[in-house]
Amino acid sequence: MSMLTISNLGFAFGDYDVFLGISASIPNDGKIGLVGPNGIGKTTLLRVLAGLAQPSSGNVTMARSTRIGYLRQEAVEAFAGRHNTVHDEMLKVFAGLHEQEAQLHDLEHRMAEAHSDDLLAEYSAAQDAFERAGGYEYELRIGQVLYGLGFTRNEWDLQISVLSGGQKTRALLARLLLEKPDLLILDEPTNHLDVQAVEWLENMLRTWDGALLIVSHDRYFLDNVVNRIWEMGPAGFETYNGNYSHYLRQRQERWERREIEFAAIKERFLGELDYIKRNIARDATKNQAVGRMRRLIREVRVVEAGGLDLLLSKNWGQVMEEVDISEAKWGVADVEQAIKGLRNPVVRPPQLNLKLKTTLRSGNLVLRTTALTIGYPAKTLFQAEPITLERGECAALIGPNGSGKTTFLRTLLGELAPLDGQIKFGASLKIGYFSQAHERLNPNNTVIDELLSHKQMLLGPARNYLAQYLFRGEDVFKPVRLLSGGERGRLALAILALAGANLLLLDEPSNHLDIPAQEVLQQVLEQFEGTILLVSHDRYLIDHLATQVWELRKNHLEVFAGSYAAMLAVRQQAVEAEKQAATVVRSGVREEYAAGKQSKADDRRRAKVIADAESRVHVLEAHLLKLEADLHAATITQDIAAIQRLGQAYTDMQAELDAAVEAWAEVA
């Protein structure tokens, strides 16, 4: 059953179609990843589905009572004018529980004033309803979500209005997770999250009780969360079953299949045309040739108008409903020209033409450190285990934001001195550095001037080179300060490719790159013949590149000599071993108990007597404490009659308690 259905959906700005003819559906348990190049219209589609924008054509049909939650990339608008604290904003989700809680408190006050069986029954029912609704758990849920998304306890009391843009986005995500909508629409949910928070979110969404529609550049995240991929591209809208890795394989297979089908259709068309040419002028075969000519013209026009899929998947009745295939007055030459002009149905997204080549071979040893301490004179960031990096390896440096990853790179570059220890570089090294903040780019230069400041070229070759990095036409004259994050990243990669370095220090190179660009970057780095030190939150990239992992945890750099997948496997084995050990302990306790069960029947009976005696003592102690409190209150109010009555009761109860204690001591 579908929660939401899209039928022939389109959206336009004036005469410009952002997207057109999208049809798809979201099942109740669907977990869908929406991918495609930047600027293709993914965010616009999400806004339409969330009801924040109206489509230009088509329809969005939603199941009755479906609740939608939408996480936009920037949550500033969502919290406009809000002055609640982060915690208060989360509490708003549970306003209904607050009302139930207030009802319970009211009933408690009424019960204290007057005993009533009806009041007791009402209180019991209200308490059960409160418990079933999660009334005793919502604070725990709030804490789990806020901690999971990286909010410290001190940040709970910050006003929403003073939060950074990234913090507001995380706060909005937290609120949406607590609200539990039927359909959760997330636009780049892993932005502003470190690896630990992303992993927590993955675990949360893997078991999400509802549907998900997610736009993300985080391929590892998509692999772990979604079970279907929607791809938006220049050639249209495609759907694939499975996660991101399944999508890559299916997409390649679909591309290859369509190219084969197109080549076969084109060959058939040309074969038909050859027959027509040979037989159109012969009296005996003219009629047959004319009939085949009419059919050929219709088929060619269908492919021109609606693509190869329309011809292969529809009957002629359906085709005629979708496209105008009225016969044109074409001659043989016209048909031949039309056939040769048919476009390949596979339109692959525009790709970077990135090439990273070394101009110098380094020695086998690239980097070695001993007793290294990284930080600043006033603040130590971390101490490192001994590091050895050899030629051809890729080390992935991971850890929370602010733990010192970029500082470590700056130390290796010689911009900062280590606080302690030694750094030894190997022979014949040429270092290339990709900075996350791109602070080495001159904001006042144009794109082409910035390129020429690093390498002298003629204007024509320079423009051709930049075109390989998708800077085309007037884009090359755009000031660096006006570039988007993705554009600055592409320019920095273009400059890095000119360095001929054999040791690459890469600080978040995939940030702001769309998935097609990430795929190219990954392929290029996999083929790079030098050595790589990669700082990244991109676990998909790390998983495919890293030969060792350096992880910053609690002010310490730990070295794992193996791939990222191997490291996760070792950790999982450790977790399973702990679980197994705990199970063995519990099992041993149960077995020990069972072994002695038969022989301890008398002990159980004795224990029952002791327990009853203990229970009697506890009850009397509770009564005595109540009398003591009442006696204290009467003393304060100088109620003489009550003091006398309660004093006698206290004396009697104390005597009864003393007797009960003696009885317990005899059997214990």
Side-chain angles (χ1 to χ4, degrees), residues 73 112 150 194 201 217 236 297 313 340 360 439 491 543 622 656:
Q73 288 193 41
D194 59 22
L201 182 60
H217 291 150
I297 291 173
S313 63
K340 292 179 178 179
L360 182 67
E439 68 274 4
L491 178 57
D543 194 42
E656 191 174 354

Side-chain angles (χ1 to χ4, degrees), residues 461-477:
R463 296 192 65 166
N464 290 337
Y465 180 78
L466 287 170
Q468 300 176 39
Y469 293 84
L470 308 183
F471 293 103
R472 298 181 175 123
E474 296 301 309
D475 291 344
V476 301
F477 302 114

Side-chain angles (χ1 to χ4, degrees), residues 34-46:
L34 177 61
V35 303
N38 289 341
I40 203 68
K42 301 186 297 294
T43 293
T44 302
L45 176 59
L46 295 190

